[in-house]
Amino acid sequence: AASDVYKRQVQSQILLMTAEGATTKAIAEDVGYAASTVQALRSASYRQLKIKNKAELILLLSQVNNV
């Protein structure tokens, strides 16, 4: 469904902005969601990617970009 595609796009945006060092509040303002929603979506993404924190996210993104 279109809403699933949009949710994945928002989750991707949240992860990229997190890796770039943006605060949860700044991300929330950018994507138009509450900060608590941003935190929940980020946590769900971390679980899906089997990572625990921003450092692991940055490492994962660097590996993907170097392929």
Side-chain angles (χ1 to χ4, degrees), residues 15 18 42-51 53-54:
L15 292 179
T18 297
R42 181 168 43 223
S43 294
S45 295
Y46 280 13
R47 281 192 301 276
Q48 289 171 342
L49 295 169
K50 296 178 175 41
I51 60 175
N53 54 44
K54 185 167 81 171

Side-chain angles (χ1 to χ4, degrees), residues 16-27 42 54:
L16 289 172
M17 291 183 74
T18 297
E20 291 169 352
T23 64
T24 299
K25 181 180 176 188
I27 296 168
R42 181 168 43 223
K54 185 167 81 171

Side-chain angles (χ1 to χ4, degrees), residues 1-66:
S3 62
D4 289 339
V5 171
Y6 178 73
K7 182 179 172 186
R8 283 195 294 275
Q9 289 174 335
V10 170
Q11 284 180 299
S12 295
Q13 181 72 12
I14 289 169
L15 292 179
L16 289 172
M17 291 183 74
T18 297
E20 291 169 352
T23 64
T24 299
K25 181 180 176 188
I27 296 168
E29 290 171 359
D30 191 73
V31 298
Y33 285 7
S36 58
T37 303
V38 168
Q39 290 172 323
L41 289 171
R42 181 168 43 223
S43 294
S45 295
Y46 280 13
R47 281 192 301 276
Q48 289 171 342
L49 295 169
K50 296 178 175 41
I51 60 175
K52 295 180 182 71
N53 54 44
K54 185 167 81 171
E56 291 182 6
L57 171 63
I58 292 168
L59 180 62
L60 179 66
L61 289 173
S62 69
Q63 290 170 344
V64 170
N65 289 334
N66 288 334

